[in-house]
Amino acid sequence: MNELKKAIIPIAGLGTRMLPATKAIPKEMLPIAGKPIIQYVVEEAVEAGFKEIVFITHSSKTSVENHFDTSFELEAELEKRVKRSLLDEIKAISNLKVVIHSIRQGKALGLGHAILCAKSILNSNEPFAIILPDMLIDGPNKINNLSKMRKEYDLTGKSSILLGKAKKKDIKKYGIAKVNKNKLNHETDIVIKIIEKPSLKNAPSNLFAVGRYVFSYDLIEFLSKTKFDKSGEIQLTDAIESFLKKNQVNAHYLKGNFYDCGDKIGNLIANIEYSKKDPILKKAILNHLK
Ligand code: G1P
């Protein structure tokens, strides 16, 4: 079985939910407690054991790639000013033990199309993870949900989707799944259906795709066959729906909290919650909230 080492992170979206902040700045570079969203996500992938990151990107997003590159001028300046801890923090970003690839998504043809753009970088039959960077995940006691999914794939070769519980009002924002007990192994549930942004009435459950997926290479074949939807996009969820009719997809249940940082309120809440846990910001933010 091929080793799971690549995580695809689609970042070509224009971030319209965060305008005007995202007019000239990628939404992935917006800070949460002083650190760009994308850095949390890449660190999550590295911690989960991924060796390669594949950004599916757009011409307006070069600052994301630059963020993970060495910045000689900045480092020299911090060295000169003897800002040791800041220098170490900055160096650590470009020293992350991961290879970063970038592929351009020339046309905005949807999330499914973005993932399909990674086809040229995947070896034949190579599995991959997908990480949607809008969603920050904060596992309790440093639990890394993605790491569990990766380990399970390495043991069993089974694809999986991370599912969280959506509030009723949010069901229309997400991919909603239906699960069944696995008859052969009662400890796992299997995803048997997934619908993109259903109405509350049509939703098969309140379980939503949080934005962490692990798939065998076969998903690429299903993506290539997925038709454009009404809005002219190739939906990842449509490809998954066809894929799971032929392949077992395990459900993983989210441990911890999620923050949808791609919209204004989610982003603000994430800023407060992550600041409350930051050793430097904690005291000041708690005082302020009082
Ligand atoms: C995408 C997926 C959706 C998933 C969501 C998680 O939607 O299509 O299935 O639940 O991410 O954030 P988007 O946020 O791109 O509209």
Side-chain angles (χ1 to χ4, degrees):
M1 195 165 62
N2 278 315
E3 196 195 337
L4 174 58
K5 51 185 184 184
K6 290 191 179 115
I8 303 173
I9 309 186
I11 58 167
L14 293 180
T16 46
R17 287 187 291 160
M18 291 300 285
L19 280 169
T22 46
K23 186 176 173 219
I25 299 169
K27 65 175 171 180
E28 296 78 12
M29 290 305 292
L30 295 176
I32 301 294
K35 187 160 101 175
I37 295 172
I38 194 70
Q39 192 180 330
Y40 287 94
V41 169
V42 168
E43 286 171 352
E44 176 191 341
V46 173
E47 200 187 283
F50 287 88
K51 306 279 187 299
E52 297 178 45
I53 298 286
V54 184
F55 286 136
I56 309 299
T57 185
H58 176 265
S59 56
S60 62
K61 304 268 178 152
T62 47
S63 56
V64 173
E65 287 147 274
N66 294 345
H67 186 71
F68 295 96
D69 202 354
T70 314
S71 174
F72 292 109
E73 282 162 339
L74 177 64
E75 287 179 18
E77 194 57 36
L78 293 174
E79 188 102 56
K80 206 165 82 193
R81 296 198 210 162
V82 207
K83 302 256 185 200
R84 252 297 130 211
S85 72
L86 203 49
L87 178 61
D88 290 346
E89 193 181 341
I90 293 302
K91 279 187 170 171
I93 305 171
S94 52
N95 284 342
L96 280 169
K97 290 203 173 359
V98 71
V99 174
I100 295 189
H101 311 272
S102 290
I103 295 183
R104 288 281 176 97
Q105 184 185 15
K107 291 180 182 159
L109 297 177
L111 180 58
H113 176 259
I115 306 306
L116 202 46
C117 291
K119 185 176 178 180
S120 60
I121 213 163
L122 294 171
N123 298 317
S124 75
N125 264 326
E126 186 177 8
F128 56 92
I130 301 172
I131 306 182
L132 304 186
D134 279 356
M135 208 61 99
L136 286 190
I137 292 182
D138 185 21
N141 307 320
K142 300 215 176 290
I143 284 181
N144 183 317
N145 291 266
L146 188 61
S147 170
K148 290 175 124 191
M149 295 165 76
R150 195 187 64 75
K151 286 182 184 145
E152 181 185 87
Y153 185 89
D154 280 346
L155 277 175
T156 65
K158 295 286 183 271
S159 301
S160 62
I161 302 181
L162 186 66
L163 299 173
K165 285 192 179 136
K167 293 186 182 135
K168 274 188 181 166
K169 68 171 180 51
D170 291 333
I171 283 199
K172 58 178 184 302
K173 296 199 315 201
Y174 299 123
I176 305 293
K178 184 174 181 186
V179 300
N180 260 358
K181 281 262 162 280
N182 181 351
K183 291 192 187 97
L184 302 174
N185 171 359
H186 287 281
E187 276 169 26
T188 50
D189 289 351
I190 296 180
V191 182
I192 55 159
K193 194 173 184 51
I194 186 157
I195 314 179
E196 186 65 9
K197 304 187 173 70
S199 63
L200 192 53
K201 197 171 79 198
N202 292 329
S205 76
N206 65 343
L207 295 170
F208 82 104
V210 188
R212 304 293 183 271
Y213 313 78
V214 165
F215 288 112
S216 63
Y217 182 83
D218 295 351
L219 183 80
I220 295 291
E221 305 302 332
F222 286 89
L223 273 168
S224 337
K225 291 183 199 140
T226 302
K227 303 232 160 51
F228 290 96
D229 69 1
K230 294 194 284 282
S231 56
E233 295 194 345
I234 297 179
Q235 290 296 343
L236 173 62
T237 304
D238 291 346
I240 300 175
E241 172 67 5
S242 320
F243 176 86
L244 53 80
K245 300 223 159 79
K246 299 258 161 65
N247 299 270
Q248 180 177 327
V249 176
N250 288 345
H252 269 254
Y253 297 110
L254 172 73
K255 301 256 175 343
N257 296 317
F258 65 89
Y259 300 96
D260 190 346
C261 299
D263 76 25
K264 287 177 185 168
I265 189 67
N267 192 287
L268 275 174
I269 294 172
N271 263 299
I272 295 171
E273 293 307 316
Y274 279 78
S275 300
K276 282 187 344 201
K277 296 189 327 165
D278 182 276
I280 296 166
L281 303 175
K282 188 176 168 179
K283 208 169 153 201
I285 190 75
L286 287 175
N287 269 338
H288 177 72
L289 290 172
K290 255 192 238 159

